[in-house]
Amino acid sequence: MVQRSASSAAEAMSMDLSPKRPAKAYSADGGAYYDWSPSDLPMLAAASIGAAKLSLAAGGLALPSYSDSAKVAYVLQGKGTCGLLLPEATAEKIIPVKEGDALALPFGVVTWWHNLHAAATDLLVLFLGDTAKAHTPGRFTNMQLTGSNGIFTGFSTEFVARAWDLPQDAAAALVSSQAGAGIVKVKDGQRMPEASDKEREGVVLNCLEAPLDVDIKNGGRVVVLNTQNLPLVKEVGLGADLVRIDGHSMCSPGFSCDSAYQVTYIVRGGGRVQVVGIDGTRVLETRAEAGCLFIVPRFFVVSKIADESGMSWFSIITTPNPIFSHLAGRTSVWKAISPAVLEASFNATPDMEKLFRSKRLDSEIFFAPTH
């Protein structure tokens, strides 16, 4: 066990942790599906994490499918509809979704996504999830129920006819009519089911409207998804949060103290990121911009400083109720350690120790610029 942990740590230290953009997996008139590959972002496989993004044009429909991974979906842009059928449920939930919505999608859930014909913008949805049980570690495999690569095209006409009690000619016509792969554009005039706000209860949390877990003036704001405000998070086994920091603000150096990975997608803006790993080695120093994804290895310390326009990011953490330790600010571990220990540890004078301890007494985890 010790040897394996050491090997894992060494691999994390040598991996390319730089933020990456996704590649287009497939597209059609109705939109496109993008994903991040473990070959481009090796930490995906190491952490058994998958990441993908769906873009639906006006009238686009992501066909019904299920996945080999539990996920959290986050609506980055637009408004639309999500059809959701939980395992063993007898009826689907038809949910109106909008920017800021987060949904927990457990194993076995069947979903479809639709952008209205009258939509002014594309519907963009981010998917982050656990691939520990997936066919390909670090990558989602979506099983299409319909379409040219759906299950109907795999079964023979005989099996389709018998399973769904159809005449042979009807079964043949049904199989041959499956056109688009994954995404189609709904025909003009074809009515889609009406979404209901009441279906959002217990399934969706809007991170832009939810009560703030952290709110620091001129610093930043945080909304945390957990088992309290989104119960399905427990079934997914992941926690998540939306963090928004103001221009030139800093996010305190910190780490996940429960062996979780942090998977971060930059939603808006951009800024500088530093990650420090084993033996005080800085393993990442870079700029992160909207549309990029990066992963912080377990127990590594990360900090961010926003550009002038600020920065926001959506993250999942590989535990449903994550715990973080911060190394600066009022709740810093340094504030609780004995002065004598600090003096000896830093090889500092008592005056220097007092100066160090006297700072950030009122600051939490975000630090507004001082100029």
Side-chain angles (χ1 to χ4, degrees), residues 93-96 194-204:
K93 293 180 178 290
I94 303 175
I95 304 165
E194 292 286 334
S196 171
D197 282 333
K198 69 179 182 180
E199 300 283 24
R200 292 172 56 88
E201 187 174 343
V203 178
V204 182

Side-chain angles (χ1 to χ4, degrees), residues 11-339:
E11 288 177 6
M13 289 291 290
S14 63
M15 282 183 183
D16 177 11
L17 303 181
S18 58
K20 297 291 194 301
R21 295 182 183 275
K24 184 184 292 185
Y26 58 85
S27 63
D29 289 344
Y33 180 84
Y34 304 81
D35 69 357
W36 283 264
S37 167
S39 61
D40 294 329
L41 192 58
M43 276 303 301
L44 288 170
S48 292
I49 292 294
K53 187 161 61 171
L54 174 68
S55 175
L56 291 179
L61 172 67
L63 298 173
S65 67
Y66 62 95
S67 178
D68 63 356
S69 306
K71 307 174 187 174
V72 173
Y74 181 74
V75 180
L76 297 166
Q77 174 186 294
K79 295 181 179 180
T81 304
C82 173
L84 187 149
L85 183 63
L86 292 168
E88 300 184 351
T90 57
E92 69 177 344
K93 293 180 178 290
I94 303 175
I95 304 165
V97 294
K98 60 184 179 179
E99 181 178 339
D101 280 350
L103 299 84
L105 306 177
F107 276 114
V109 65
V110 173
T111 59
W112 54 263
W113 301 81
H114 178 239
N115 194 11
L116 302 177
H117 273 288
T121 62
D122 289 354
L123 176 64
L124 300 181
V125 185
L126 174 72
F127 300 97
L128 302 174
D130 178 8
T131 64
K133 298 180 180 179
H135 288 284
T136 304
R139 204 165 202 170
F140 301 135
T141 297
N142 297 321
M143 312 293 286
Q144 301 293 334
L145 296 186
T146 64
S148 60
N149 58 343
I151 62 167
F152 277 91
T153 61
F155 284 112
S156 66
T157 302
E158 176 194 359
F159 270 60
V160 172
R162 184 143 183 202
W164 285 275
D165 193 22
L166 295 171
Q168 286 283 337
D169 58 345
L174 188 62
V175 171
S176 63
S177 69
Q178 308 297 304
I183 296 173
V184 299
K185 191 163 186 176
V186 176
K187 298 174 183 176
D188 290 339
Q190 184 170 348
R191 296 193 62 181
M192 297 295 287
E194 292 286 334
S196 171
D197 282 333
K198 69 179 182 180
E199 300 283 24
R200 292 172 56 88
E201 187 174 343
V203 178
V204 182
L205 179 75
N206 188 278
C207 297
L208 300 177
E209 300 173 353
L212 297 171
D213 293 282
V214 177
D215 185 8
I216 298 174
K217 186 177 180 181
N218 299 322
R221 292 150 295 285
V222 182
V223 170
V224 178
L225 278 71
N226 52 39
T227 54
Q228 301 301 311
N229 54 20
L230 195 59
L232 277 178
V233 163
K234 183 177 182 180
E235 293 186 39
V236 173
L238 301 168
D241 58 23
L242 177 69
V243 180
R244 292 168 285 168
I245 61 175
D246 298 324
H248 300 300
S249 289
M250 181 180 194
C251 181
S252 167
F255 64 95
S256 170
C257 55
D258 47 9
S259 76
Y261 292 92
Q262 300 175 59
V263 186
T264 298
Y265 175 86
I266 307 300
V267 177
R268 298 268 189 281
R272 296 163 53 203
V273 179
Q274 290 188 356
V275 177
V276 175
I278 299 166
D279 294 330
T281 302
R282 188 185 310 153
V283 293
L284 180 65
E285 180 169 10
T286 190
R287 277 190 48 76
E289 298 176 342
C292 291
L293 181 102
F294 67 97
I295 300 174
V296 178
R298 293 178 297 174
F299 302 112
F300 284 28
V301 179
V302 59
S303 183
K304 309 176 187 75
I305 298 178
D307 290 342
E308 183 178 3
S309 61
M311 178 165 56
S312 63
W313 61 87
F314 185 80
S315 297
I316 63 165
I317 303 93
T318 56
T319 180
N321 293 296
I323 302 172
F324 286 96
S325 285
H326 292 278
L327 301 180
R330 184 177 61 83
T331 58
S332 163
V333 296
W334 298 118
K335 302 299 184 190
I337 292 179
S338 304

